[in-house]
Amino acid sequence: MIQHTQTGNMTIAIVGTGLVGLGWAIVFARAGMPVRLHDRNPEQLKDAPNRIRQSLRDLAEYGLIQESPEEILARCSCHEELAEALEGVGYVQESVLERIDVKQDLYKEMESSLAPHTIVGSSSSGIPASAFTQDISFRSRCLIAHPVNPPYLAPIVELIPASWTSADTIEVVHQLMHRVGQHPIRVNREVEGFVLNRLQGVLLREAWALYEEGYCSLEDIDATISKGLGLRWSFMGPFETIDLNAPGGIRDYAQRLGDLYLSITKERMSPQPWSDELISQVEHERRQRLPETKLIERSKWRDRRMMALAAHKHQQEDRE
């Protein structure tokens, strides 16, 4: 097992160079670590440096990297052969397609190439590690390390072990994530959807229901978050929010509003799937607001706004 003090000198392998994989590459390379990239798609792998370079240039524009984009990019190398990418690395961030069979095949392939100390974290958004590591010899060194996309702007990382993941594995990855500027949280055992998506799912369920029942337009529901709740949530979580929202703190808040929230919850005791009709209606309203041809452009706008927010938060944290 890797010693905790060795994470600073670790070589990282990124397997899967989609949006999430390249985001992870930036996280590790930005922190000074050598990063090896691998993807089964040779064209995607070939284009990876260009895509990383553009993201680094954007980060430089907002003052979010200390070195030049080329200095950081120089730490990244592309490897068509999986075994070559994995040779001697300390940590692998797996970011392949979100399918159990794809992950199972990859982990079996990795089995013959990993060093005895190498840890593998999966970027899986909802598939637990137990679903694809059960039959491999290095399963005690596997866990979920689920980021928010892009991870170089949103630092939270969920660390979710399988029942056979060793305590040392969790500790090393926790330390590694801190070392590279992320904010790891420990999820003590596997739960469907993990923590982030379960929290997001509750909000989405209510947003869809309120729209379907005709209470608000999509634009007004979105504004309720972006112009309201989201402003606080960008620097406080739900428990701190309610702790500060009543004169006597969290117990006072619970006594004042607990019954209201219980009543609201009881209204949603029989959740229904999003129907095709509802999805079509929502899609139509969104496309009226944002044509499909402008989705990529708007995504870039989102990332720039996140960069500006990240720069602001760094400045504020330095003052605290």
Side-chain angles (χ1 to χ4, degrees):
M1 180 58 63
I2 300 171
Q3 296 299 312
H4 300 174
T5 56
Q6 293 179 335
T7 57
N9 301 318
M10 192 181 293
T11 297
I12 307 296
I14 305 293
V15 180
T17 59
L19 289 174
V20 175
L22 293 189
W24 275 118
I26 290 171
V27 166
F28 292 114
R30 180 179 60 184
M33 296 180 172
V35 177
R36 299 178 190 167
L37 303 169
H38 169 78
D39 197 288
R40 289 187 179 278
N41 184 332
E43 292 302 316
Q44 183 161 287
L45 182 62
K46 182 179 179 181
D47 192 44
N50 291 329
R51 290 181 287 152
I52 292 174
R53 181 182 289 107
Q54 184 56 58
S55 295
L56 289 171
R57 286 174 176 171
D58 291 340
L59 290 170
E61 182 179 343
Y62 285 88
L64 293 173
I65 53 176
Q66 304 303 313
E67 301 173 281
S68 72
E70 294 303 324
E71 287 176 303
I72 296 174
L73 183 59
R75 298 191 185 104
C76 300
S77 57
C78 295
H79 303 264
E80 293 188 4
E81 298 299 324
L82 177 62
E84 182 180 275
L86 299 180
E87 185 178 0
V89 302
Y91 179 74
V92 179
Q93 186 70 44
E94 172 265 301
S95 301
V96 299
L97 189 64
E98 190 81 350
R99 272 177 36 189
I100 292 177
D101 60 330
V102 173
K103 292 182 184 294
Q104 285 176 330
D105 290 346
L106 171 64
Y107 279 65
K108 289 176 182 176
E109 187 178 355
M110 287 196 293
E111 199 156 16
S112 62
S113 301
L114 292 178
H117 63 272
T118 306
I119 290 174
V120 182
S122 174
S123 300
S124 170
S125 296
I127 303 173
S130 60
F132 52 87
T133 65
Q134 181 174 2
D135 298 323
I136 58 172
S137 61
F138 59 95
R139 67 181 193 172
S140 67
R141 292 180 275 125
C142 296
L143 78 168
I144 301 297
H146 173 229
V148 174
N149 190 39
Y152 55 81
L153 292 178
I156 201 74
V157 183
E158 298 182 275
L159 304 183
I160 307 108
S163 61
W164 45 74
T165 304
S166 73
D168 278 346
T169 292
I170 301 167
E171 183 59 38
V172 170
V173 179
H174 191 269
Q175 181 175 337
L176 172 64
M177 292 302 165
H178 273 301
R179 161 73 178 79
V180 299
Q182 301 302 100
H183 189 105
I185 66 163
R186 299 181 191 233
V187 182
N188 295 326
R189 60 185 183 276
E190 292 183 337
V191 59
E192 185 177 10
F194 314 146
V195 171
L196 188 146
N197 281 327
R198 291 181 75 90
L199 292 172
Q200 180 173 239
V202 173
L203 180 60
L204 281 173
R205 181 185 66 188
E206 189 62 26
W208 281 85
L210 289 170
Y211 176 78
E212 184 175 25
E213 293 162 3
Y215 288 106
C216 267
S217 67
L218 294 184
E219 187 174 352
D220 284 347
I221 291 172
D222 278 353
T224 303
I225 303 301
S226 65
K227 311 294 184 185
L229 292 173
L231 296 178
R232 293 186 301 212
W233 289 347
S234 68
F235 57 89
M236 291 192 303
F239 287 113
E240 185 172 8
T241 295
I242 66 173
D243 195 30
L244 302 180
N245 270 8
I250 199 162
R251 179 174 292 278
D252 187 13
Y253 187 96
Q255 290 172 344
R256 290 168 184 257
L257 295 172
D259 288 343
L260 170 63
Y261 286 118
L262 177 61
S263 179
I264 292 171
T265 300
K266 287 180 177 179
E267 288 183 11
R268 304 298 185 202
M269 294 302 287
S270 299
Q272 301 298 316
W274 305 333
S275 67
D276 288 340
E277 181 181 357
L278 174 61
I279 293 170
S280 295
Q281 188 177 347
V282 169
E283 172 74 5
H284 176 73
E285 192 166 325
R286 275 301 298 160
R287 295 291 73 83
Q288 294 293 108
R289 182 74 177 170
L290 181 71
E292 186 174 357
T293 55
K294 294 188 176 181
L295 282 171
I296 294 177
E297 179 183 337
R298 189 66 171 177
S299 295
K300 292 179 180 178
W301 167 86
R302 174 205 61 198
D303 289 350
R304 291 194 297 272
R305 292 297 296 269
M306 287 184 68
M307 289 178 192
L309 178 59
H312 169 72
K313 293 184 74 171
H314 288 168
Q315 292 171 357
Q316 294 302 309
E317 289 166 0
D318 290 340
R319 295 176 184 175
E320 293 177 353

